[in-house]
Amino acid sequence: MNVWEVTENSFDPSKLHSRETLFTIGNGYFGTRGTFEEGFPKASPATLLYGVFDKIAVGKEELANAPDWLPLKLFVNGERFRLDHGKILDYERMLDVFNGVLRRTVHWESPGGVRIRVTCERFASLADEHVGAIRYSVTADEEEKTTGENLEIILWASLNTAVGNYDLLHWETVEQRRDGEIIWLHTQTRHSLVQLVQTMSFTISSSHFHKELVRSDTSPSIRFYGTLAPGEMVTTEKVVVMFTSRDGEHPLQLALKHHHKIIEGSSPQPVQDQHYTLLVEGTTRVKPFVHENLYESLLKDHQEAWHRYWKLSDIIIEGDGKAQQAVRYNIYQLRISTSSHDSRYSIAAKGLTGFGYRGHVFHDTEIFMLPYFTYVHPSIARNLLIYRYRLLPAAREKAKSNGYEGAQYPWESTLDGREATPDAIVHPENGELIPVLNGRIELHISASVAFAVWQYWKVTGDDQFMHEYGAEVFLSTAEFWASRAEFHEDHQDYEINDVIGPDEWHEHVNNNAYTNYMARWNIEKAIDVLQWLRESAPQKADELIKQLDLSQERLDHWRDVVIRMHIPMDKKTGLIEQFDGFFNLEPLDQNQFKGRKTSYQGLLGVKQVEKFRIIKQADVLMLLTILDNEFDRDTKRVNWDYYYPITDHEYGSSLTPALHVILACELGKIDIAYKQFMTGALVDLEDLRGNSDEGIHDACAGAVWQAAIFGFAGLRLTDDGHTTAPSWPDGWKRLAFNFFHKGKLVQVDLRREEGA
């Protein structure tokens, strides 16, 4: 097993869409699904651009599937190469995550009996985020020598606008032309009016092929025509450059200038006494054949960028190849899902790999994914948090419209911060039309954002960020919670009623423990942040006090809420009730559902599942994990023993199997920890939930990193530095990783003692 590679050795059409997701390439500016260059019936080609949305009828807007830059058709003796035609003699596809390259080799026999070998590779440049490149080689079998005939070859590269988000097309053509032998396509989204320019060059290794440029408003193309002798190989290189109006006012000029620059940088060299014919707009020209090193030059820079990434980001696991491969794949996914510099957008639940959740951003980013960036790539984490800062005006507007103060973050967001959660959806498992209440009453995301701000600050020591951005986020969310909490006269405490907690299978609940505790924590830390700000930046403190009307009376109210917030917890045993009345729900006999292939909600129905003590994902246990220092081991153990058995680990949610690892390791449950770790790590590699066709489970990828570092390595930060407390699954001999603390790189290399 090569622990840097994900490989399939046969083609199974029944897994077409999940494998498209699995073999996605990307660089944070764009992600391109692993569809075949030559196409396949009912494929779902998609290139999603970071932060490029268009309007939809349900759910506000979605990432708009851009014109496909991959198409490269091959015709051999008039027969089209495609995997649903002819016969596949040999096949391999491999994603090399160390180099960020997708490769495929196919030995194919045409319906007419001609045999060829096709080898192609492609990448989305990590060194130059605007560039995608394909190298495509065709070899005629030596066996064709028996016929003594050359093969007639057509290689046809294009850009294709006829792709959409399923059946919805978001782009229309503005213009299509050429600049020398570069063709370009200028399109625009139908509603958001984002402009996209894609430029394409297409070159070949042989001067014996004729070249033709073909104009088209929907599929501009460059074609090569020629012959291939038995045993001969020809190689083409397709390079595409993409710029949008989010990059600058004139994306056409930007794209063309950039494309010419990278061609000139590859040092093209005319080949003496070799020429080719060019057909363009009805005119045939004879031109000197030019040899270019464009693909190799771009590939070299791209690979070097990935090597730098892995030098910092890699987690080394010795003794378990499957876990090692899975961890690296998940770390690869985290990188290709987010920009290294753009703070106008964040990481969607499915990254840039599929249409699931429409590119919307949830608390998945702050709770599951952002810790990886905070510890390993703090500059990216900073941008992801500035995204939330940018959304403050809309969050304040949402709170105000609901009758509250401060900032209430939307459950789903895109670019402007307005609530993007649809009002209703069709249940993906049972087809039931269900109302979606999350946008109205799943509130804990506001505390998730505050928690991420706090964690980033404590890990990085970035006081400037806290001065300029973080403090305002913290104080604004605290203001919301203090106004949302209702005083209960009979109990003389504060309650937060009519909510959905992280569990999500129980709606309209009162005093969800996670929500109440995180709200209290948010307010308490906001008071601390304000005091720190008064001492470190009094002018900024005065500015925010005035802006947010933080009178002494209001701050006294905050302190009262902190003291008297209702937390449904048995003080003697430490057992926390998930919400008021949860302990009175009916127990569910899970044994009667053995062999199930769907969640308990899918089996029982949305309303029926609410009657039972069965939960979708970690709720109380997530609270104990996130606010680790707030609870002792006995409290963690009693709640683990109660809640772990009643959680739907298999089909409830992909978010928390890996997150359970942290608590399991702390409680010495290593076998359970490893099982849950691999459940999370393999969720997409093995399509464990049967829904990878919708896109990668990016939050799960972040949880896998946390499981390895906070779980098995036991990393904890202290005032003086850090500590580790490794828990070793069977076979593991070494666990090594890097992180930053207060701006300094820390390298950890844990090795298992003999007999441990």
Side-chain angles (χ1 to χ4, degrees):
M1 165 183 262
N2 187 321
V3 293
W4 286 105
E5 297 175 357
V6 177
T7 304
E8 65 174 2
N9 294 309
S10 63
F11 173 57
D12 183 352
S14 70
K15 299 179 179 178
L16 180 70
H17 295 140
S18 64
R19 295 301 172 87
E20 289 171 354
T21 296
L22 183 70
F23 290 111
T24 297
I25 59 170
N27 56 19
Y29 182 85
F30 70 93
T32 298
R33 285 170 62 82
T35 47
F36 299 133
E37 288 85 353
E38 67 276 5
F40 195 87
K42 298 184 179 179
S44 296
T47 290
L48 301 175
L49 298 157
Y50 194 73
V52 176
F53 284 86
D54 198 36
K55 183 181 177 182
I56 53 175
V58 177
K60 188 171 178 279
E61 58 186 355
E62 65 185 359
L63 289 177
N65 186 9
D68 190 9
W69 66 276
L70 294 182
L72 207 165
K73 302 172 187 175
L74 166 64
F75 295 86
V76 182
N77 287 354
E79 296 180 302
R80 182 173 174 179
F81 166 69
R82 214 167 68 178
L83 297 188
D84 58 324
H85 297 164
K87 185 186 297 183
I88 300 173
L89 305 175
D90 192 27
Y91 172 95
E92 181 184 72
R93 180 161 52 161
M94 182 267 289
L95 176 63
D96 175 355
V97 299
F98 183 66
N99 292 295
V101 176
L102 178 63
R103 299 185 179 94
R104 180 169 56 115
T105 301
V106 183
H107 192 197
W108 181 74
E109 183 179 292
S110 75
V114 174
R115 292 188 173 189
I116 61 169
R117 190 175 298 275
V118 175
T119 302
C120 50
E121 66 175 42
R122 66 180 185 240
F123 62 89
S125 177
L126 197 66
D128 185 342
E129 65 181 14
H130 299 281
V131 172
I134 303 171
R135 180 160 57 191
Y136 195 95
S137 300
V138 183
T139 305
D141 265 19
E142 290 281 351
E143 297 171 12
E144 299 299 328
K145 288 181 178 178
T146 58
T147 66
E149 296 180 0
N150 292 346
L151 303 180
E152 294 183 359
I153 300 292
I154 301 175
L155 287 154
W156 182 347
S158 63
L159 303 168
N160 180 22
T161 62
V163 292
N165 295 55
Y166 303 117
D167 296 328
L168 180 59
L169 300 179
H170 284 294
W171 299 85
E172 54 188 6
T173 301
V174 176
E175 183 61 280
Q176 185 278 307
R177 292 187 185 180
R178 68 178 180 89
D179 186 359
E181 291 185 36
I182 296 174
I183 65 171
W184 54 264
L185 175 66
H186 184 180
T187 54
Q188 181 173 271
T189 52
R190 295 176 183 274
H191 302 286
S192 60
L193 305 183
V194 176
Q195 297 178 57
L196 166 65
V197 172
Q198 295 165 298
T199 61
M200 180 180 81
S201 59
F202 190 43
T203 57
I204 198 163
S205 61
S206 171
S207 63
H208 303 300
F209 277 69
H210 307 296
K211 186 175 187 178
E212 180 183 13
L213 306 186
V214 182
R215 293 192 63 173
S216 167
D217 282 344
T218 58
S219 186
S221 310
I222 302 176
R223 304 174 190 167
F224 284 110
Y225 305 83
T227 60
L228 208 56
E232 187 181 2
M233 180 177 75
V234 67
T235 298
T236 60
E237 297 180 358
K238 178 179 182 179
V239 175
V240 174
V241 170
M242 290 176 264
F243 276 82
T244 76
S245 50
R246 287 167 55 82
D247 299 309
E249 188 176 351
H250 303 290
L252 176 59
Q253 290 91 323
L254 289 172
L256 286 172
K257 181 179 179 181
H258 197 70
H259 205 137
H260 282 295
K261 182 179 179 181
I262 60 178
I263 289 175
E264 293 163 5
S266 69
S267 303
Q269 297 294 327
V271 180
Q272 191 173 2
D273 299 326
Q274 291 192 30
H275 296 77
Y276 69 102
T277 58
L278 173 67
L279 178 63
V280 53
E281 297 169 0
T283 303
T284 301
R285 307 171 189 173
V286 178
K287 301 192 69 176
F289 182 73
V290 176
H291 178 71
E292 296 179 6
N293 293 312
L294 184 54
Y295 184 91
E296 279 297 328
S297 175
L298 292 170
L299 178 63
K300 179 176 180 292
D301 293 343
H302 165 73
Q303 289 175 325
E304 288 176 354
W306 271 108
H307 298 171
R308 289 192 297 272
Y309 173 77
W310 285 114
K311 187 176 181 180
L312 183 63
S313 308
D314 191 22
I315 295 176
I316 298 172
I317 298 172
E318 289 186 2
D320 188 341
K322 195 170 187 178
Q324 176 69 91
Q325 178 199 54
V327 163
R328 285 173 171 160
Y329 180 76
N330 282 281
I331 294 172
Y332 164 84
Q333 287 294 339
L334 288 169
R335 177 59 189 90
I336 70 172
S337 294
T338 186
S339 170
S340 62
H341 58 84
D342 190 346
S343 65
R344 294 170 294 177
Y345 181 51
S346 184
I347 311 178
K350 300 295 184 183
L352 301 173
T353 66
F355 303 137
Y357 297 116
R358 306 180 187 277
H360 294 182
V361 179
F362 296 72
H363 93 134
D364 301 25
T365 304
E366 281 74 27
I367 295 301
F368 295 95
M369 294 181 264
L370 206 136
Y372 163 70
F373 294 102
T374 293
Y375 277 80
V376 186
H377 298 279
S379 62
I380 294 179
R382 196 178 204 265
N383 285 332
L384 295 173
L385 290 171
I386 291 175
Y387 163 78
R388 290 297 188 184
Y389 174 81
R390 289 174 179 270
L391 302 192
L392 271 176
R396 290 193 176 102
E397 185 59 37
K398 176 170 183 174
K400 183 179 179 181
S401 67
N402 289 331
Y404 304 112
E405 300 172 347
Q408 179 186 359
Y409 279 96
W411 182 244
E412 299 182 30
S413 62
T414 55
L415 299 180
D416 61 13
R418 295 199 301 269
E419 183 60 65
T421 307
D423 292 326
I425 62 169
V426 175
H427 196 287
E429 294 171 305
N430 59 24
E432 182 183 358
L433 182 65
I434 58 172
V436 179
L437 303 175
N438 310 69
R440 282 176 268 169
I441 61 174
E442 189 159 6
L443 310 179
H444 55 86
I445 185 170
S446 295
S448 298
V449 173
F451 172 78
V453 168
W454 180 269
Q455 184 182 60
Y456 171 81
W457 184 38
K458 289 303 178 182
V459 172
T460 65
D462 187 350
D463 289 348
Q464 182 186 28
F465 167 82
M466 206 62 176
H467 286 151
E468 296 182 11
Y469 310 105
E472 187 173 347
V473 171
F474 233 107
L475 294 167
S476 299
T477 50
E479 197 169 19
F480 164 70
W481 288 119
S483 68
R484 181 63 174 80
E486 308 164 34
F487 187 69
H488 195 293
E489 288 288 350
D490 293 341
H491 301 154
Q492 288 292 295
D493 61 11
Y494 290 90
E495 300 183 349
I496 301 177
N497 295 321
D498 192 22
V499 302
I500 298 173
D503 167 25
E504 294 186 332
W505 281 355
H506 297 87
E507 301 175 341
H508 296 296
V509 304
N510 295 334
N511 294 312
N512 169 255
Y514 180 93
T515 303
N516 286 24
Y517 205 107
M518 291 297 292
R520 184 179 75 176
W521 177 90
N522 191 164
I523 299 169
E524 184 176 27
K525 294 304 180 185
I527 295 169
D528 294 341
V529 166
L530 182 58
Q531 182 58 37
W532 169 81
L533 202 62
R534 281 170 163 160
E535 296 169 359
S536 62
Q539 186 174 346
K540 182 66 176 181
D542 291 342
E543 177 186 319
L544 288 177
I545 289 169
K546 182 178 180 181
Q547 175 188 335
L548 303 178
D549 189 23
L550 300 180
S551 64
Q552 189 60 48
E553 181 182 1
R554 176 165 292 183
L555 293 175
D556 287 342
H557 173 65
W558 287 16
R559 294 184 180 94
D560 194 45
V561 173
V562 169
I563 293 169
R564 295 200 277 180
M565 176 67 79
H566 176 64
I567 307 295
M569 179 178 183
D570 188 319
K571 294 182 179 179
K572 291 183 179 179
T573 65
L575 183 62
I576 299 171
E577 188 171 23
Q578 184 171 295
F579 55 80
D580 288 351
F582 182 80
F583 291 157
N584 297 326
L585 298 178
E586 299 175 37
L588 181 69
D589 180 9
Q590 298 181 53
N591 290 323
Q592 65 178 308
F593 299 101
K594 284 185 176 180
R596 66 193 170 95
K597 297 297 182 183
T598 189
S599 73
Y600 291 114
Q601 187 187 64
L603 291 169
L604 299 172
V606 173
K607 290 300 179 184
Q608 194 69 13
V609 77
E610 291 194 88
K611 300 177 182 179
F612 294 98
R613 262 180 284 153
I614 190 75
I615 62 177
K616 177 181 179 181
Q617 60 197 27
D619 193 309
V620 170
L621 296 188
M622 188 161 75
L623 173 66
L624 304 182
T625 301
I626 291 172
L627 299 184
D628 174 69
N629 293 329
E630 304 249 334
F631 304 95
D632 60 32
R633 184 164 297 187
D634 289 341
T635 300
K636 293 175 182 177
R637 187 178 301 279
V638 71
N639 283 280
W640 173 279
D641 291 344
Y642 186 88
Y643 286 103
Y644 184 81
I646 61 172
T647 304
D648 188 351
H649 302 287
E650 288 76 25
Y651 296 102
S653 171
S654 67
L655 295 180
T656 56
L659 197 73
H660 281 103
V661 174
I662 302 170
L663 208 53
C665 286
E666 189 174 347
L667 297 175
K669 301 178 182 294
I670 310 305
D671 290 344
I672 291 176
Y674 182 74
K675 178 184 177 183
Q676 293 302 316
F677 175 73
M678 295 304 288
T679 297
L682 298 174
V683 68
D684 292 306
L685 283 169
E686 297 185 359
D687 194 16
L688 296 181
R689 312 179 71 83
N691 61 357
S692 292
D693 55 332
E694 289 286 299
I696 288 293
H697 296 79
D698 254 330
C700 186
V704 166
W705 181 87
Q706 292 189 62
I709 304 308
F710 304 142
F712 293 124
L715 177 70
R716 299 292 186 273
L717 298 185
T718 68
D719 293 336
D720 300 324
H722 74 278
T723 62
T724 57
S727 299
W728 295 105
D730 287 345
W732 287 31
K733 300 175 182 177
R734 182 187 177 204
L735 181 56
F737 58 93
N738 303 313
F739 70 95
F740 284 96
H741 187 207
K742 307 290 187 182
K744 294 182 179 179
L745 179 64
V746 180
Q747 297 173 307
V748 178
D749 194 340
L750 305 173
R751 297 174 188 263
R752 191 173 193 171
E753 296 179 5
E754 291 288 337

